Amino acid sequence: MTDLFSAGNTGNIELRNRIFMAPLTRSRAHDETDVPSDMAVTYYEQRASSGLIISEATQINKQGKGYIKTPGIYSKEQVDKWREITDAVHAKGGKIVLQLWHVGRISHTHFQPDGDAPLAPSAIKPDVDVFFDDKKQPASEPRAMTTEDIAQTVEDYGKAAKNAYDAGFDGIEIHSANGYLLDQFLRDSTNKRDDEYGGSLENRMRILNEVVDAVLETWDSSRVGVRLSPTGNFNDIGDSDPLKTFTYIIDSLNRYNLAYLHMVERFPGMPTDNKDLKIQETLRDVWNGFYIANGDYDYLTAKTAVESGYADAITFGRLYIANPDLVERFEVGATFNEPDQDTFYGGDKEGYIDYPFMDDK
């Protein structure tokens, strides 16, 4: 029987266990250059016993940024620092993939080159705030992307995927969830286009297909994953018929024989109604490959999900923030460090690389 501690593979990525580290924005990169900090090497190395580390969301280009101190993968400096991180993880026997990210309309002119408007499928301003310079500001009015903008963005995804390969990652994850750019194209609340990228499900998925095709120019499909959040409304997003929309999307992704599908099923502390649960169960059956479940799982619910065959692995977020040796704690039934929410985003080493291991106590 497969359990949380079973070895295996997701595509061609070998796994020591099914306890994965979720992508976690921590806002510790250098803000002017989007280069990960020296502390990030320690941070990821500390968590190398995870079956698979999925990196924090990492912008593919300068337009893809929407938060303070988030890292990029579009410059040589960034690639070089990420190489230090992957080398450190691999030296501990770990595996790590890079999550490719573009925030789309969840941004502010403060972050955009030359103070331009953020890019989006349609010029619909989100009802969200963004943070910079220790201030909270409403997101800026976005500009609807031209077909030339879309083509350039797809090309930048391809370049970012090549940079991730050069940085030594074991694979990549395409972030198409949580109300960011690719998710904005998929959902009918944020995509009101009347060209080949809007309207029908086929058209709304066109950019995601083009991004997958672009990254597959560098990576074998067995090392590429996609993240989706069909029932999520984070970042002021939604869809009139998520079951129909994401049945089409997931069924279409099946043809690529990807390494995995990473599904955001719920957000910590946010209620999930029975309708959403039924949608998720139905969509799970649509996917033919390795399935990673995410969303407020604890040890017992994760154990049940994997042993029942519902999920092939589980990603943990807050538990991994506070417990770098989460796998070892699960193995022996140890207590957990409590995460300090005040240090989740930004700051120094406190709440980032100073959480104690079991052996430190």
Side-chain angles (χ1 to χ4, degrees), residues 138-177:
S140 297
E141 186 83 28
R143 172 174 68 80
M145 298 173 75
T146 65
T147 54
E148 290 79 12
D149 292 327
I150 293 172
Q152 182 61 59
T153 300
V154 170
E155 181 179 333
D156 288 345
Y157 269 100
K159 291 177 180 176
K162 175 62 166 60
N163 287 341
Y165 183 88
D166 292 342
F169 284 92
D170 297 290
I172 58 169
E173 176 174 292
I174 299 168
H175 194 352
S176 189

Side-chain angles (χ1 to χ4, degrees), residues 57-109:
T58 301
Q59 50 257 16
I60 62 162
N61 57 22
K62 292 181 179 180
Q63 289 82 8
K65 186 173 183 175
Y67 299 90
I68 192 169
K69 296 182 179 179
T70 53
I73 189 66
Y74 56 84
S75 76
K76 183 180 185 303
E77 277 186 292
Q78 295 160 6
V79 171
D80 290 345
K81 182 56 68 174
W82 278 118
R83 167 62 80 170
E84 291 183 40
I85 292 169
T86 61
D87 284 348
V89 170
H90 293 153
K92 290 291 185 71
K95 302 289 185 181
I96 181 170
V97 300
L98 183 73
Q99 189 187 70
L100 301 180
W101 187 39
H102 191 303
V103 300
R105 69 179 190 152
I106 310 301
S107 188
H108 191 278
T109 55

Side-chain angles (χ1 to χ4, degrees), residues 122-301:
S122 300
I124 303 172
K125 188 175 184 289
D127 184 17
V128 300
D129 292 325
V130 297
F131 294 83
F132 59 88
D133 296 336
D134 298 322
K135 296 182 294 186
K136 183 169 71 172
Q137 298 281 353
S140 297
E141 186 83 28
R143 172 174 68 80
M145 298 173 75
T146 65
T147 54
E148 290 79 12
D149 292 327
I150 293 172
Q152 182 61 59
T153 300
V154 170
E155 181 179 333
D156 288 345
Y157 269 100
K159 291 177 180 176
K162 175 62 166 60
N163 287 341
Y165 183 88
D166 292 342
F169 284 92
D170 297 290
I172 58 169
E173 176 174 292
I174 299 168
H175 194 352
S176 189
N178 298 352
Y180 297 115
L181 181 68
L182 297 180
D183 200 19
Q184 292 160 26
F185 272 91
L186 297 177
R187 314 275 200 118
D188 59 13
S189 68
T190 45
N191 186 343
K192 303 297 184 182
R193 302 177 70 92
D194 58 6
D195 63 1
E196 64 267 39
Y197 291 96
S200 69
L201 286 171
E202 179 183 7
N203 284 354
R204 280 152 48 197
M205 189 178 173
R206 189 179 305 277
I207 187 172
L208 177 55
N209 282 328
E210 290 178 350
V211 167
V212 173
D213 290 339
V215 304
L216 291 182
E217 292 181 12
T218 297
W219 291 92
D220 187 85
S221 63
S222 63
R223 291 183 178 271
V224 175
V226 171
R227 194 181 208 209
L228 300 174
S229 56
T231 58
N233 56 17
F234 183 68
N235 280 327
D236 191 27
I237 200 164
D239 192 85
S240 62
D241 192 344
L243 179 57
K244 179 181 178 181
T245 295
F246 285 91
T247 294
Y248 177 87
I249 292 164
I250 294 170
D251 189 50
S252 298
L253 289 173
N254 275 323
R255 67 186 174 90
Y256 286 107
N257 294 316
L258 298 174
Y260 63 79
L261 177 67
H262 185 188
M263 190 78 83
V264 182
E265 297 178 343
R266 64 188 67 85
F267 283 88
M270 295 181 67
T272 302
D273 60 29
N274 288 332
K275 179 182 178 182
D276 287 348
L277 291 173
K278 290 179 180 177
I279 290 172
Q280 290 162 5
E281 291 172 359
T282 301
L283 293 175
R284 169 64 187 99
D285 290 337
V286 176
W287 178 246
N288 293 335
F290 195 97
Y291 181 84
I292 304 172
N294 170 264
D296 220 13
Y297 279 87
D298 59 21
Y299 173 73
L300 290 178
T301 55

